[in-house]
Amino acid sequence: MRVLDLSKLDISPDDTCDIRITVETDSECDKYPAKQHARKVAAKLGVRDGLIYLVGKATINWGDSDQPRPFRQRRYFYYLSGVEEADCYLTYDIRNDLLTLYVPNFSLQHAIWMGPTLTVDEARLRYDADRFRYFAALRGDLNAWVDQYNKDSPIYILHSTQKPEISSEGLLLDDTSLIPAMNAAREVKDEYEIRMIRKANEVSALAHRNILENIHRMSNEGEIEGLFLDTCVSHGSKNQSYEIIAGSGPNAAVLHYVKNDEDFNERQLVCLDAGAEWNCYASDVTRTIPLGKDWPSAHAKDIYAIVEEMQEECIKRVRPGLRFRDLQELAHVIAIKGLQRLGVLKIGTVEEIRQSGASSIFFPHGLGHHVGLEVHDVSAQPITANGHWPREFVPEMSTPLLQEGMVITIEPGIYFNRLALENARRLPLAKYIDLDKAEQYIPLGGVRIEDDLLVTSTGYENLTTAPKGKEMLEIIRGHRE
Ligand code: GLY
Ligand code: MN
Ligand code: MN
């Protein structure tokens, strides 16, 4: 609980920072491990001194408007602070292992209109740093550090646009090393981060389940978006990890369809890719849901079964040391065999078809990605390239191995996108595809199933608990008149 003790509010005209706000907490503070992250980044930088300087996201308005844009903290800043408040800064003095958080100067106007910004006392209780200072102290502190150390130790910044606002004459800056170091630090999650991703997944599961229980009452994609958001916000997830994708019928074949405003009419399936965010950590969950009493067609049932097999076969192989690219290849092989059984792929061996790129017409995206502070989280190297690259064309740099503590998605899909199929007609790979047959599947759009997997020492834990497959169907049926 936050108590502003006005009797202790002491604002002098010449020093608006000298305020006293009493903060009491009524719960054990579970601090974000910012200091541990700062040390990890320094280790990835591989240096013993220097100053990491990070600028938090500022309050900004929409263009030509007096209304603020919804605030979204910069993720690199959050990683070293755990602070989701605007207009903050931080420094980490590597040699002295000193993490300092700078909070905005007190502004009476801001306090009256928007509520008070963080005070240093409150910040001390809530965050894991060594020093807490007002912004007014930042320039002096930076100058003092520069005078003492900057001759041989650089200030590490993320971008050349984020230079500290001090005299730049002779300043030793490094704007190239920090991003790769932070990306490498962020790729393996610690226990706290896993807890946040797990919680984000719990809220997503509630929201997906709510959609399944109510889908039979709905007739428009917008209702899905509305109910999903309602459930997440009501359960404490104010933000989504990404824009909700609720594509019915052919819209399910548009990978990042976000208009979500069309009627279902006679459409067969809806692809719902939606994930709640929890304390800046993402979940990324896709379910493809029948819009009829049962599977609306053999086509829909068959494609769902292939994608389900792609996902199950890939998930069960997840473990440390696995080359993720090999899983992606396995998913393509299962897709090819399945589409051959249906006659959508008509000639050629599995290998020939894969090499031609024909399976990428139906499965054009990568099998997965890291999940963390970003839904497509950063890492030292991407775990996979997109689906257009058969094995031979994937450069070596794109083949890192899974490690314990990584959180990744496994999200196979098969889509029948009219534009992709039209385009395929003109390509040499067209000879492998029965395009007339493939066109018959266009009305169902596509199927994607996506879960978030934690790589454990012995294998994996599936963090996504949203119903799918049989359980999904039972929920839909159980709630039918
Ligand atoms: N929701 C975006 C993705 O699945 O990558
Ligand atoms: Mn994803
Ligand atoms: Mn997704």
Side-chain angles (χ1 to χ4, degrees):
M1 186 176 58
R2 195 167 182 215
V3 181
L4 298 190
D5 181 349
L6 293 184
S7 67
K8 293 183 184 166
L9 194 63
D10 170 19
I11 308 167
S12 64
D14 55 345
D15 183 1
T16 54
C17 299
D18 183 18
I19 57 161
R20 298 283 175 272
I21 295 180
T22 306
V23 180
E24 293 167 4
T25 63
D26 50 10
S27 63
E28 270 293 293
C29 228
D30 178 25
K31 288 184 178 177
Y32 184 83
K35 185 72 185 280
Q36 185 182 308
H37 290 177
R39 288 177 177 157
K40 192 171 176 189
V41 170
K44 296 288 182 190
L45 273 170
V47 297
R48 302 169 73 96
D49 49 27
L51 188 78
I52 294 173
Y53 170 74
L54 293 183
V55 181
K57 190 73 186 165
T59 309
I60 37 172
N61 288 351
W62 295 109
D64 306 324
S65 169
D66 70 350
Q67 293 302 301
R69 290 171 63 160
F71 176 72
R72 185 179 193 268
Q73 183 58 283
R74 288 193 171 116
R75 280 1 195 193
Y76 290 116
F77 188 88
Y78 192 86
Y79 190 68
L80 287 203
S81 68
V83 174
E84 205 182 353
E85 309 271 344
D87 305 307
C88 294
Y89 295 76
L90 69 79
T91 59
Y92 179 57
D93 176 342
I94 297 170
R95 175 194 299 248
N96 297 306
D97 187 28
L98 186 69
L99 182 62
T100 308
L101 177 69
Y102 295 87
V103 299
N105 294 343
F106 180 79
S107 151
L108 187 58
Q109 281 309 308
H110 189 285
I112 290 169
W113 283 82
M114 310 294 290
T117 47
L118 271 178
T119 69
V120 289
D121 289 339
E122 188 174 9
R124 189 172 295 113
L125 284 171
R126 283 171 49 185
Y127 303 112
D128 173 31
D130 302 299
R131 290 196 308 176
F132 298 89
R133 315 262 281 159
Y134 285 104
F135 173 75
L138 176 61
R139 189 185 292 245
D141 287 353
L142 284 170
N143 278 322
W145 187 90
V146 167
D147 287 348
Q148 197 169 356
Y149 299 115
N150 191 229
K151 213 152 75 62
D152 339 281
S153 312
I155 299 181
Y156 293 99
I157 57 176
L158 293 169
H159 308 284
S160 57
T161 50
Q162 292 181 0
K163 291 186 180 124
E165 289 182 15
I166 53 177
S167 165
S168 60
E169 211 182 313
L171 205 60
L172 185 59
L173 282 171
D174 178 329
D175 62 7
T176 56
S177 308
L178 189 53
I179 286 184
M182 292 199 76
N183 289 351
R186 281 172 55 181
E187 87 180 347
V188 169
K189 275 62 183 176
D190 58 37
E191 177 274 327
Y192 187 103
E193 295 180 288
I194 291 165
R195 200 149 29 95
M196 297 301 110
I197 300 171
R198 195 188 302 280
K199 181 70 193 173
N201 265 286
E202 279 168 24
V203 177
S204 295
L206 282 174
H208 274 275
R209 181 176 284 274
N210 216 356
I211 299 301
L212 296 178
E213 288 173 353
N214 289 284
I215 191 79
H216 63 290
R217 283 193 248 279
M218 299 181 185
S219 57
N220 185 285
E221 296 161 350
E223 292 173 77
I224 297 182
E225 176 169 342
L227 184 60
F228 195 93
L229 265 179
D230 180 343
T231 315
C232 292
V233 175
S234 314
H235 288 84
S237 278
K238 190 170 164 60
N239 299 319
Q240 294 290 299
S241 306
Y242 49 93
E243 270 196 84
I244 292 172
I245 298 166
S248 60
N251 296 334
V254 179
L255 302 179
H256 286 176
Y257 171 84
V258 291
K259 281 168 70 182
N260 304 343
D261 60 358
E262 293 189 10
D263 285 342
F264 301 154
N265 294 322
E266 300 307 309
R267 293 174 178 179
Q268 303 183 34
L269 301 174
V270 63
C271 180
L272 173 59
D273 184 345
E277 187 175 282
W278 191 263
N279 288 352
C280 293
Y281 280 84
S283 60
D284 189 6
V285 180
T286 307
R287 295 292 180 255
T288 304
I289 307 167
L291 289 169
K293 283 192 194 314
D294 198 335
W295 287 112
S297 66
H299 282 174
K301 188 176 180 182
D302 290 343
I303 298 302
Y304 192 93
I306 298 171
V307 177
E308 193 174 43
E309 185 186 349
M310 290 159 78
Q311 206 208 24
E312 285 173 0
E313 289 301 317
C314 289
I315 286 179
K316 71 185 189 199
R317 287 171 169 79
V318 168
R319 57 170 171 75
L322 183 84
R323 198 172 297 280
F324 192 79
R325 192 190 68 181
D326 293 344
L327 276 193
Q328 173 153 315
E329 288 309 308
L330 174 66
H332 273 272
V333 167
I334 296 169
I336 290 168
K337 289 182 176 167
L339 292 172
Q340 282 176 324
R341 279 196 303 275
L342 299 180
V344 173
L345 291 170
K346 55 183 184 189
I347 59 161
T349 65
V350 170
E351 192 62 22
E352 284 164 354
I353 292 172
R354 176 64 183 129
Q355 291 307 319
S356 75
S359 56
S360 300
I361 300 295
F362 305 98
F363 178 25
H365 55 75
L367 178 68
H369 50 82
H370 289 274
V371 178
L373 284 169
E374 293 287 350
V375 61
H376 296 163
D377 208 21
V378 297
S379 54
Q381 300 170 345
I383 47 173
T384 182
N386 69 31
H388 289 291
W389 294 355
R391 184 190 297 270
E392 265 65 13
F393 306 136
V394 178
E396 271 313 302
M397 61 154 292
S398 300
T399 63
L401 307 181
L402 294 183
Q403 294 172 52
E404 181 180 355
M406 286 179 168
V407 180
I408 52 156
T409 65
I410 300 279
E411 51 175 308
I414 293 183
Y415 313 90
F416 297 87
N417 180 297
R418 182 176 291 285
L419 287 173
L421 289 171
E422 292 295 332
N423 185 49
R425 274 187 197 284
R426 302 179 302 146
L427 304 175
L429 55 77
K431 70 178 183 202
Y432 298 107
I433 304 174
D434 183 334
L435 285 156
D436 293 335
K437 187 142 235 167
E439 281 195 5
Q440 292 169 14
Y441 287 79
I442 287 176
L444 76 84
V447 172
R448 178 166 65 257
I449 313 174
E450 176 175 30
D451 289 2
D452 303 342
L453 283 293
L454 168 65
V455 183
T456 63
S457 61
T458 53
Y460 68 89
E461 178 190 340
N462 192 337
L463 302 178
T464 301
T465 51
K468 58 181 175 177
K470 262 204 196 105
E471 187 190 357
M472 169 182 83
L473 281 177
E474 276 161 18
I475 294 171
I476 294 174
R477 288 180 185 141
H479 288 79
R480 241 165 242 301
E481 284 87 20

